[in-house]
Amino acid sequence: MVVRHLDAGYRVQQAEWWRGAVLYQVYPRSFADSDGDGIGDLPGLLERIDHVAALGVDGIWLCPVYVSPQRDFGYDVADHCAIDPSFGSLEDFDRVLDAAHARGLKVLIDLVGGHTSDQHPWFDTSRRSASSPTADWYVWADPAPDGTPPNNWLSVFGGSAWSWEPRRRQYFLHHFLPSQPTLNLQHPACLDALLDVARFWLDRGVDGFRLDAIDFLTHDPRLRSNPAVPPANGQVPAKLFALQRHDHDMIQPASMQVLRRIRALLDEYPGTVSLGEVSSQDGAFDRIAAYTGAPDLLHMAYTLRPLRHGFDRPTLQALLRDAIATCSRGWPCWSFSNHDVERAATRWAPHRTEQGGQADTRFTRLLLALLLSLPGSACLYQGEELGLPEAQLQEDEIRDPFGITYWPEFKGRDGSRTPMPWQEGARFAGFTAPWAYPWLPVPASHRALSVDGQERDPASTLRFTRALLALRRAEPALRHGTASVLDLPAPLFGFERRAEGQVVTLVFNLSEDAVALPPAMLAGKAGLGGFGAAEGRLPAFGFALLVPEMAREREPA
Ligand code: BGC
């Protein structure tokens, strides 16, 4: 194994860099394709890395590039210590890492610890016999006397969470696809093996891990069935997972010990961090606090829970309260869009239609301003800086197994995974070679929002995002300040952030009409970075960042 030597000082000096940091999430399959096979890859990311650096983010969260049969597009790992040939090689990975570091960008990679691919050698031996060396590295259970699965647990992606293995005459557990068997992390050798994987990448120089699906890391050792939850409206939901209270298959106290082991390993590599993914089951913010609330646990965590709700004033107020409470006990990270959900610009669009509707630029920018000013850290998903809406795909274009199962009730996650549009005038918007076909289509609405066009336009969403990120870097209050809710009349919504004696007031107009701001709020204040309230008003979906006049006088001309 090649161990690359790192300058320890690089990390130690910036020990808590992650508090308030913004990570740019790269979904490599759809970022940039260098070899014309229609699939994004690491050399493609390398070619485009200056786009990421120019944004002014602190680092990259790179989704899985491990060897994988790609049934779940990389979240089904078949070899944790090698790069899938469709993405490149370990040398390509090192080049990306070096290029990122040279630009001051940290690199977090996914550590998919809860399960592997069924093609993984660990599973291959485990499934062969109950006396193999990895026999207990997965979750095996005898059938019920009538041959049915050991309990009622359901898979997130549909059907029973158990599949039959004739060679062992036992069922194995899988919370997602049947080809993603669940690891038994309560088995010491299995957890050690996972930690060895983490060490392999830390030795290579990564700055930490996004930990996949941490609510699923352990389960009830007695394998008790979950209680039923009657559907709220009396109608059976398309996704049966919602018909159970997940008391026993997920969110178990034993996961804390797994997280502690991961943290202890990270602490051997100063400056490295963990970002946990928390499910949207009830109590998600309490779990973020619990998972990140002690120095021997995770650094930060995000949940998709707020994404499940609409975008209205009461929801935002609740979100802010949750954020503030979580910050007092742990450290949240915000993710409005990612590879698992419909893009926020469409999901929360004020005029959303069955087809998703057109993204409203004013609204899209309000979302960006909120994402980048909430207390905590944030993830910016590729294309979010361009204001991309969700891509609307046809049934035969869907590749996500989750969407294939549930179409058309749920169209899967491909609409947020379509290729990055780089060049407006190029075939496939410059994502891949002109003779190739991308693995997912590039929608016409995205072409018009391509990077090159937005680079040229000083009033573009890309330029706007860079300006916000620059402010966040410059203002400690915006980056890691405390937050307090402002009591404002509807349709306004706002909060204050404070750090190092500075205070920034943020106010958002959640309506499509211009609104006058309360004069008391404006007295003695000026707009920060040009984000003020002209004539004391906010336009439709407008927002302002206000600082005391004195503070602005200190700004360089
Ligand atoms: C990842 C998903 C993936 C699932 C199963 C998640 O949390 O973000 O993309 O399908 O884990 O690995």
Side-chain angles (χ1 to χ4, degrees):
M1 185 184 88
V2 186
V3 176
R4 301 165 75 244
H5 296 283
L6 296 164
D7 171 10
Y10 165 69
R11 288 176 167 155
V12 177
Q13 288 157 20
Q14 304 168 36
E16 292 225 304
W17 63 269
W18 51 275
R19 283 198 196 271
V22 178
L23 296 173
Y24 183 80
Q25 185 193 348
V26 172
Y27 192 70
R29 215 179 153 80
S30 299
F31 194 64
D33 174 24
S34 71
D35 59 4
D37 64 357
I39 295 171
D41 47 40
L42 290 168
L45 169 55
L46 189 61
E47 278 168 24
R48 296 289 184 182
I49 202 154
D50 282 325
H51 169 77
V52 184
L55 284 171
V57 294
D58 302 274
I60 295 173
W61 152 22
L62 178 63
C63 287
V65 287
Y66 307 108
V67 168
S68 160
Q70 306 290 325
R71 302 275 180 273
D72 192 22
F73 299 111
Y75 284 93
D76 47 333
V77 180
D79 182 347
H80 289 99
C81 297
I83 303 291
D84 195 85
S86 62
F87 292 124
S89 62
L90 268 177
E91 289 67 34
D92 291 324
F93 180 85
D94 291 342
R95 280 184 207 109
V96 167
L97 198 57
D98 288 345
H101 286 164
R103 288 159 179 78
L105 295 169
K106 309 286 186 181
V107 178
L108 269 65
I109 60 171
D110 254 281
L111 185 63
V112 190
H115 49 265
T116 66
S117 157
D118 61 355
Q119 313 285 303
H120 199 292
W122 297 344
F123 188 69
D124 190 54
T125 45
S126 190
R127 81 190 317 178
R128 279 172 201 279
S129 99
S131 54
S132 72
T134 60
D136 299 327
W137 289 27
Y138 294 84
V139 184
W140 294 100
D142 294 332
D146 62 358
T148 55
N151 63 28
N152 71 352
W153 296 353
L154 292 169
S155 144
V156 177
F157 289 169
S160 169
W162 297 96
S163 285
W164 180 242
E165 171 51 66
R167 279 175 284 191
R168 279 188 63 146
R169 293 175 171 66
Q170 281 188 310
Y171 280 97
F172 64 89
L173 179 65
H174 51 83
H175 295 295
F176 299 94
L177 295 172
S179 59
Q180 291 171 297
T182 298
L183 281 168
N184 177 13
L185 295 177
Q186 281 161 281
H187 188 278
C190 177
L191 181 55
D192 285 348
L194 181 69
L195 292 169
D196 283 347
V197 166
R199 194 180 284 283
F200 173 87
W201 293 102
L202 290 166
D203 285 340
R204 253 191 139 77
V206 303
D207 302 287
F209 301 107
R210 178 263 189 184
L211 303 175
D212 186 59
I214 56 175
D215 280 339
F216 286 100
L217 289 181
T218 59
H219 54 272
D220 173 29
R222 290 159 60 197
L223 304 182
R224 282 170 291 179
S225 280
N226 286 325
V229 177
N233 56 6
Q235 213 194 357
V236 174
K239 293 181 188 164
L240 290 176
F241 198 73
L243 278 183
Q244 293 185 0
R245 209 175 66 210
H246 294 276
D247 288 356
H248 302 304
D249 55 341
M250 55 191 298
I251 315 176
Q252 297 294 302
S255 297
M256 292 304 212
Q257 202 39 38
V258 175
L259 299 180
R260 280 195 190 96
R261 290 286 307 278
I262 294 174
R263 176 61 185 257
L265 174 63
L266 288 171
D267 285 347
E268 292 178 32
Y269 296 80
T272 60
V273 298
S274 46
L275 166 65
E277 182 206 21
V278 173
S279 77
S280 46
Q281 295 291 313
D282 287 355
F285 282 98
D286 286 337
R287 289 203 297 290
I288 291 184
Y291 290 137
T292 63
D296 62 344
L297 287 164
L298 300 186
H299 297 84
M300 49 186 173
Y302 76 88
T303 174
L304 299 182
R305 179 156 182 108
L307 282 55
R308 308 287 178 212
H309 298 281
F311 191 83
D312 50 37
R313 201 161 162 276
T315 307
L316 284 185
Q317 280 168 324
L319 180 84
L320 188 61
R321 276 195 299 274
D322 281 336
I324 293 170
T326 312
C327 280
S328 69
R329 295 187 288 153
W331 196 260
C333 179
W334 299 98
S335 194
F336 284 180
S337 291
N338 79 13
H339 67 294
D340 285 331
V341 287
E342 189 177 19
R343 285 185 181 272
T346 300
R347 173 171 13 97
W348 284 330
H351 300 294
R352 74 158 295 147
T353 63
E354 260 309 288
Q355 287 70 44
Q358 264 304 319
D360 178 320
T361 308
R362 301 165 305 176
F363 180 72
T364 306
R365 292 183 187 185
L366 177 135
L367 289 182
L368 280 164
L370 184 64
L371 173 71
L372 298 176
S373 59
L374 281 171
S377 301
C379 291
L380 185 71
Y381 180 48
Q382 67 184 43
E384 204 168 3
E385 77 280 22
L386 306 175
L388 294 189
E390 178 81 351
Q392 305 304 319
L393 304 181
Q394 304 301 312
E395 185 175 2
D396 62 355
E397 293 169 328
I398 298 296
R399 300 287 173 267
D400 178 13
F402 200 3
I404 291 170
T405 304
Y406 283 105
W407 182 278
E409 299 296 317
F410 167 65
K411 295 180 177 173
R413 301 166 292 179
D414 295 312
S416 65
R417 297 176 175 182
T418 54
M420 268 289 278
W422 294 103
Q423 296 162 276
E424 193 169 346
R427 191 162 146 87
F428 305 124
F431 163 73
T432 184
W435 65 84
Y437 279 92
W439 75 288
L440 286 174
V442 180
S445 60
H446 285 197
R447 174 186 292 281
L449 294 168
S450 291
V451 172
D452 64 347
Q454 296 211 34
E455 280 287 0
R456 286 191 299 268
D457 177 4
S460 68
T461 301
L462 173 59
R463 298 278 200 105
F464 165 89
T465 308
R466 282 188 195 147
L468 279 177
L469 284 162
L471 277 183
R472 184 176 169 116
R473 286 180 89 86
E475 292 292 328
L478 285 179
R479 193 177 167 88
H480 52 72
T482 58
S484 48
V485 191
L486 288 176
D487 185 16
L488 294 171
L492 297 173
F493 162 77
F495 51 96
E496 274 181 0
R497 302 216 42 203
R498 286 168 195 271
E500 299 167 23
Q502 293 176 331
V503 49
V504 180
T505 304
L506 297 105
V507 56
F508 301 83
N509 173 7
L510 302 179
S511 81
E512 283 177 282
D513 300 311
V515 175
L517 292 184
M521 164 172 249
L522 292 166
K525 302 238 182 62
L528 179 66
F531 295 111
E535 291 162 29
R537 297 165 76 76
L538 287 181
F541 300 125
F543 68 92
L545 304 183
L546 304 170
V547 287
E549 204 95 50
M550 293 288 288
R552 202 180 67 155
E553 279 162 18
R554 287 202 309 271
E555 276 180 38

